[in-house]
Amino acid sequence: MSKIFEKEIQEFVQLVDSRNPNEPEFLQAVTEVAETIIPFIAEHEKYQSASILERLCEPERVVMFRVPWVDDNGNFKVNRGYRVQMNSSLGPYKGGLRFHPSVNLSILKFLAFEQVFKNSLTTLPLGGGKGGANFDPKGKSDAEIMRFCQSFMIELSKYIGGNKDVPAGDIGVGAREVGYLFGQYKRINDEFTGVITGKGLDYGGSRIRTEATGYGTVYFSEEMLELNGDGLKDKICVVSGSGNVAQYTTEKLIERGAKVVTLSDSSGYIYDKDGIDTEKLAYVKHLKNEKRARISEYIEKYKSATFRKGRPWSVPCDLAYPCATQNEIDKEDAEFLVKNNCKGIFEGANMPTTIEALSIIQDNKLLFAPGKASNAGGVATSGLEMSQNSQRLSWTSDEVDYRLKMIMKNIHENCVKYGRVDENYVDYVKGANVAGFVKVADAMLAQGHV
Ligand code: NDP
C-alpha cells in the first residue's frame, strides 16, 4: 500500500465497509483498486471533486429473486437468484452468470466491480455486471438443470436485453446452461436476439468464445514474458482448475511448447510429472464436460500422475496460472511460489490471489498479471459475439482469434503505459486499475452526475 496515502485509503475502505457490512470479497476487490486509484486521483482533481470512486463502488442496480424449481423426485426446491448491474457508462451491462453454492451478494458485487474495469480495458463498448444463483449444478440431471435455468430466466428476463444487459457464462454456467437460458428467453420474448453470449455456434455463438478466456490469458502472459526477453517454450507450468478457463489455458500452453504438470478441482489436484499433452487434455475435457466427473479419475488412466488433496501451488514451477476461483492463492501458497523460484503468476480466474499473497508476490518482484487484464479475453470475445449478432454475420476462427490477440496486446500496452515503475519493473495491478478507471471515469464525468 502507498505509504503517503495510507490514511486516505483506509478511510475510504472503512466508508465502503460501513455501507456494505459482511461483504468481505467485495471489500477486498475495492481495497485492491483503492490502493492504486486513490494516489492517481490525488493528482487528478476532476475525478476527486466528482466523487467518481465512491460512485463506482455503488451498483447502479441490484436485483434479487426467488428461483423455485422441482427436482426429478418431485421435491420442491428454492434458490436465490441475483443480477448486479454495476456500471453502464461505457455500454450495456455485461458479465457472466455463476451457479455455485457459495454465490452471495458479496461475491457477485466483487465480480461486477472487477468486470467494470475489465470491460473498460477491452476498449469495447461494454458496461459491467454479474449475476447468478446459489445453485449447485453438481450431481444434477440435465432435466433438473434445464428446469432450474428456465425458472431463473423467467425472472431474469425482466431485467436484461441486447441494449440493456447481456449476461454470459461463468463457474457452473457453460454451453449447456447458456443454451437452456437462451431458449427460455426466446420463448418469453418471442424474439431471437443476442441477449446472452457463449451461445452454441449453430444459433448465434462466436467461434473461439469457448477458448477465449484461457487463450487470452496465455497471450497476455506471452506479452509480459516477451517484454522481459523470455518466452513460454519449455516452461514448467502449474495450472489450477479443470473447467473452461483451465482447459483452454492448458491447450494454448501446450501449443506454445510449455509443459503443464497440474490441474485441479474442489477435491484436490493431479500432478503429472510427464506433463499433460494434447491426448491427456482431451481426456480431461471428456471427464469434465461430458462425464462431469472428478479430476482424481485422471490418475486411473495415466500412471505418470498422482492425486493430492489441497491446491497445487507447492509444486515447483516456472509459471503459475490460477484458473479456478477467488482467493485460491493465499500467503503460504505465495511463499511456496517464491521459494520455488516461480517467475510469474497470471490470473485466469477472477481475484484468485489474496491481498496478503499479492504483497509477497510484488515484494519479490515476480511478474504478476491481474485477472481484470489477463482474463479479459473472454468478455472481449463476448463483445465480438454481440457485434456478429448485430451484423447477422459469423466470422472465421482465424479472424476472431486474430482480434482476440490484438485486444490482449492492446490491454498489455495500456497496462505498461500506466503501470511502468522504472526501466525494469511494470506494476500490472496499478496499470490495469488506472487504465480501466480512466475510461469509465471520463465517460461518467461526460454523462453528468449519474
Ligand atoms: P468452470 O465452472 O468451468 O470451472 C471452475 C473450476 O474451478 C472447476 O474445476 C471447479 O472445480 C474449480 N473450483 C470452483 N470453485 C472452487 C473452489 N471453491 N475450490 C477449488 N476449486 C474450485 O468455471 P470457469 O473455468 O468458467 O471459471 C473459472 C474462473 O475463471 C472463475 O474465477 C471465473 O470467474 C473466471 N473467469 C471465467 C471466464 C469465462 O469465460 N468462463 C471469463 C473470465 C473469468 P469443481 O468442479 O470441483 O467445482
Side-chain angles (χ1 to χ4, degrees):
M1 188 191 297
S2 156
K3 287 277 169 259
I4 309 171
F5 293 97
E6 204 170 332
K7 187 165 162 280
E8 283 90 337
I9 294 166
Q10 273 170 3
E11 280 173 5
F12 181 76
V13 170
Q14 273 161 15
L15 173 76
V16 177
D17 191 15
S18 66
R19 282 192 192 160
N20 305 273
N22 306 316
E23 295 188 2
E25 293 85 2
F26 179 52
L27 202 66
Q28 182 182 339
V30 169
T31 305
E32 191 239 79
V33 165
E35 284 178 356
T36 48
I37 293 299
I38 286 178
F40 176 77
I41 288 179
E43 291 169 7
H44 298 81
E45 206 331 88
K46 62 177 179 173
Y47 301 129
Q48 197 158 22
S49 55
S51 302
I52 292 289
L53 190 57
E54 285 87 332
R55 281 197 261 160
L56 268 168
C57 294
E58 205 56 56
E60 288 176 13
R61 187 178 300 110
V62 176
V63 287
M64 277 167 65
F65 48 91
R66 182 200 301 159
V67 189
W69 58 284
V70 180
D71 74 11
D72 287 345
N73 298 319
N75 298 312
F76 291 93
K77 301 277 181 185
V78 64
N79 285 90
R80 184 175 293 170
Y82 305 81
R83 187 72 183 162
V84 178
Q85 298 180 328
M86 201 74 187
N87 194 301
S88 62
S89 48
L90 296 180
Y93 308 106
K94 181 95 198 83
L97 297 171
R98 177 176 290 193
F99 290 168
H100 193 272
S102 65
V103 162
N104 58 32
L105 203 50
S106 171
I107 289 182
L108 293 179
K109 278 167 71 178
F110 115 63
L111 289 164
F113 182 72
E114 293 253 304
Q115 196 81 45
V116 173
F117 291 80
K118 183 188 308 190
N119 293 2
S120 165
L121 284 170
T122 67
T123 72
L124 299 173
L126 303 170
K130 201 84 188 188
N134 63 344
F135 170 74
D136 190 357
K138 268 199 219 87
K140 305 285 189 302
S141 69
D142 281 354
E144 287 174 328
I145 299 281
M146 182 177 73
R147 285 196 293 276
F148 180 82
C149 288
Q150 291 180 338
S151 181
F152 182 84
M153 185 50 90
I154 285 176
E155 196 57 34
L156 184 71
S157 65
K158 296 170 189 167
Y159 310 100
I160 61 174
N163 291 317
K164 193 194 278 183
D165 184 349
V166 184
D170 190 74
I171 291 180
V173 178
R176 172 182 59 169
E177 292 75 15
V178 167
Y180 295 150
L181 291 162
F182 177 71
Q184 185 72 344
Y185 183 88
K186 192 161 59 63
R187 283 169 81 196
I188 295 167
N189 290 281
D190 200 18
E191 58 178 28
F192 195 108
T193 62
V195 72
I196 182 161
T197 56
K199 297 186 288 296
L201 287 182
D202 295 335
Y203 59 94
S206 172
R207 292 191 171 80
I208 307 291
R209 172 60 190 95
T210 310
E211 296 87 344
T213 308
Y215 280 15
T217 302
V218 177
Y219 294 152
F220 195 87
S221 65
E222 249 178 337
E223 293 288 332
M224 288 173 71
L225 290 166
E226 206 173 286
L227 193 68
N228 284 272
D230 207 345
L232 285 167
K233 188 144 177 42
D234 297 328
K235 291 287 184 305
I236 308 285
C237 301
V238 164
V239 177
S240 67
S242 50
N244 171 274
V245 180
Q247 289 172 17
Y248 290 99
T249 294
T250 303
E251 184 164 288
K252 190 53 79 179
L253 285 171
I254 297 171
E255 197 189 297
R256 292 298 200 251
K259 182 174 171 183
V260 177
V261 291
T262 67
L263 283 171
S264 72
D265 63 20
S266 51
S267 43
Y269 68 95
I270 55 117
Y271 168 53
D272 188 336
K273 61 177 173 23
D274 291 350
I276 297 163
D277 60 18
T278 307
E279 184 215 308
K280 293 172 178 175
L281 179 62
Y283 182 63
V284 171
K285 287 185 187 171
H286 166 72
L287 269 184
K288 285 292 171 183
N289 308 346
E290 287 157 45
K291 208 170 163 204
R292 302 193 188 275
R294 304 279 77 207
I295 194 69
S296 51
E297 281 195 30
Y298 180 98
I299 64 162
E300 287 164 26
K301 192 165 163 76
Y302 299 109
K303 302 300 169 208
S304 51
T306 51
F307 175 76
R308 299 170 192 176
K309 294 265 176 224
R311 303 188 288 231
W313 312 119
S314 59
V315 172
C317 65
D318 299 311
L319 308 172
Y321 291 80
C323 297
T325 192
Q326 65 273 0
N327 292 332
E328 55 167 318
I329 298 184
D330 63 15
K331 186 170 169 285
E332 202 189 348
D333 298 321
E335 282 163 356
F336 268 124
L337 289 164
V338 170
K339 193 177 96 203
N340 287 336
N341 225 359
C342 172
K343 305 271 179 310
I345 295 155
F346 311 96
E347 295 187 335
N350 285 311
M351 206 170 73
T353 312
T354 65
I355 288 187
E356 296 75 28
L358 179 59
S359 95
I360 291 172
I361 291 163
Q362 289 185 322
D363 288 350
N364 285 279
K365 294 271 190 301
L366 267 62
L367 288 178
F368 180 81
K372 55 172 86 75
S374 48
N375 73 30
V379 71
T381 310
S382 278
L384 301 179
E385 182 173 331
M386 289 162 75
S387 304
Q388 293 169 78
N389 290 163
S390 301
Q391 297 176 339
R392 303 246 189 277
L393 284 176
S394 178
W395 300 335
T396 62
S397 295
D398 283 349
E399 182 160 5
V400 180
D401 196 31
Y402 174 75
R403 286 177 192 251
L404 170 64
K405 242 181 251 162
M406 289 303 109
I407 289 171
M408 298 316 295
K409 197 176 165 61
N410 189 267
I411 295 175
H412 179 262
E413 276 167 13
N414 256 318
C415 289
V416 173
K417 177 176 162 193
Y418 287 103
R420 182 163 288 290
V421 176
D422 58 37
E423 222 178 287
N424 301 315
Y425 187 66
V426 176
D427 179 347
Y428 284 86
V429 174
K430 176 178 172 210
N433 287 343
V434 175
F437 172 82
V438 166
K439 207 166 151 235
V440 182
D442 286 344
M444 288 172 78
L445 285 178
Q447 290 169 30
H449 196 68
V450 289

